[in-house]
Amino acid sequence: MTVVRHGFLGALSPGHRERLGTFAHDVSFPGGTRIFDEDGVADRFWIIRSGIVALDVHVPGRREAVLETLGEGDLLGWSWLFEPYRWHLGAQARSTVSASEFDAERVRAACEKDPSFGLALTNCVAQVIARRLKSTRIRLLDLYGPPDAGES
């Protein structure tokens, strides 16, 4: 099992990173594979080692709208950490993806058993959520901002 040591995991201490790594197993997804769908059961998560994954949202009557793309070192999936454990978005492999996959129930149990590990992991996930919200906000400002904004 190879777990990327930068990106999402770079914020964890070596001990916590090693502990999380004990729950990992290697997986791969061919390009075009639907990894999970919005509102599905969030029972696992991944740290991408290579490849590209598109996060998308269902738009009735249209194709899924891509909100963000993820790559090496990125956390794929955070809904597993918060009840009701349902995916907020969907995800599709844009290229062949290799990743470390984690069973959410086992990781949550370890977080409960070791509050220091749980707090560290929750903080890392919260940082990912904050960055993605900021990124989404910037995209929305670009999309809905006045057309002449920033021009002199």
Side-chain angles (χ1 to χ4, degrees):
M1 276 172 275
T2 305
V3 177
V4 175
R5 303 218 184 284
H6 61 280
F8 170 73
L9 289 176
L12 286 175
S13 72
H16 288 147
R17 193 169 41 239
E18 184 177 316
R19 174 116 192 244
L20 183 62
T22 66
F23 298 106
H25 67 274
D26 294 341
V27 297
S28 63
F29 302 101
T33 301
R34 194 87 186 135
I35 300 171
F36 57 84
D37 288 307
E38 189 175 344
D39 202 39
V41 176
D43 59 355
R44 65 198 71 228
F45 64 98
W46 302 264
I47 297 173
I48 300 169
R49 288 194 315 272
S50 66
I52 302 294
V53 175
L55 294 177
D56 56 42
V57 64
H58 176 72
V59 179
R62 301 178 71 185
R63 292 178 43 177
E64 282 80 11
V66 174
L67 299 177
E68 188 164 358
T69 56
L70 306 177
E72 182 182 351
D74 285 333
L75 172 69
L76 174 58
W78 52 262
S79 301
W80 62 274
L81 189 56
F82 306 103
E83 289 187 46
Y85 310 124
R86 309 293 292 186
W87 296 120
H88 292 267
L89 302 170
Q92 183 169 9
R94 286 291 173 103
S95 65
T96 299
V97 171
S98 66
S100 297
E101 182 177 270
F102 302 83
D103 178 281
E105 189 173 331
R106 288 183 64 213
V107 174
R108 286 193 305 264
C111 289
E112 286 183 29
K113 187 174 179 179
D114 179 353
S116 172
F117 174 68
L119 180 60
L121 188 58
T122 300
N123 282 339
C124 285
V125 172
Q127 290 174 24
V128 168
I129 294 168
R131 279 193 305 273
R132 291 188 186 162
L133 284 173
K134 182 178 181 180
S135 176
T136 298
R137 179 178 175 263
I138 290 168
R139 281 192 306 279
L140 288 172
L141 287 173
D142 287 344
L143 183 63
Y144 293 110
D148 295 337
E151 293 181 15
S152 316

